[in-house]
């Protein structure tokens, strides 16, 4: 239970911090798109998605039920797909987008 709770807590912190970075990409009155930088965005394009995936896998570990694992897997597949679309869009939109960034799982995918 404790390991799952810690995973959930870390995932929530990553998710909140990533959302903060995304919300503050533009200053008031600015328009256009920018590359998110900082936090887990240094490693993956979908840092907020990674945080949420980690949250649900932590929850599944804490609960130890097949239903919670099924929910975590569904979250992984749905948000992983969204992260892949975002990653491809960033690569097409920005010539200087960091090529070393993964899609949603740091150092893996």
């Amino acid at each position: 239970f404790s390991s799952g709770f810690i995973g959930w807590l870390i995932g929530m912190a990553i998710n909140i911090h990533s959302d903060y970075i995304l919300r503050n990409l533009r200053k008031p009155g600015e328009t256009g798109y920018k590359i998110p930088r900082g936090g887990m965005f240094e490693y993956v394009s979908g840092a907020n998605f990674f945080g949420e995936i980690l949250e649900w896998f932590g929850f599944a570990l804490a609960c130890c039920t097949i239903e919670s694992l099924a929910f975590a897997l569904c979250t992984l597949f749905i948000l992983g797909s969204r992260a892949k679309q975002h990653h491809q869009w960033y690569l097409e939109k920005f010539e200087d987008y960091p090529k070393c960034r993964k899609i949603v799982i740091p150092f893996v995918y």
Side-chain angles (χ1 to χ4, degrees):
F1 175 82
S2 297
S3 297
F5 177 73
I6 290 169
W8 174 82
L9 197 59
I10 292 169
M12 185 170 57
I14 291 169
N15 196 0
I16 290 170
H17 184 250
S18 300
D19 285 345
Y20 174 81
I21 290 171
L22 289 173
R23 280 192 314 273
N24 292 293
L25 280 176
R26 290 182 266 199
K27 294 182 175 106
E30 278 187 324
T31 59
Y33 296 102
K34 293 185 176 184
I35 298 171
R37 300 197 186 276
M40 289 303 296
F41 283 109
E42 296 302 315
Y43 304 99
V44 293
S45 296
N48 52 333
F49 300 139
F50 170 69
E52 188 163 345
I53 290 166
L54 188 56
E55 279 182 75
W56 288 113
F57 273 95
F59 177 81
L61 183 59
C63 291
C64 289
T65 65
I66 193 72
E67 295 85 3
S68 60
L69 177 60
F71 190 86
L73 288 170
C74 287
T75 301
L76 172 66
F77 295 133
I78 291 167
L79 294 184
S81 173
R82 290 185 65 201
K84 185 175 181 181
Q85 292 170 340
H86 286 218
H87 184 75
Q88 289 171 335
W89 183 86
Y90 280 125
L91 290 172
E92 292 170 9
K93 179 82 174 164
F94 298 101
E95 288 182 18
D96 60 337
Y97 192 74
K99 305 293 185 228
C100 61
R101 278 190 196 175
K102 297 296 183 183
I103 296 171
V104 72
I105 301 173
F107 312 109
V108 178
Y109 176 76

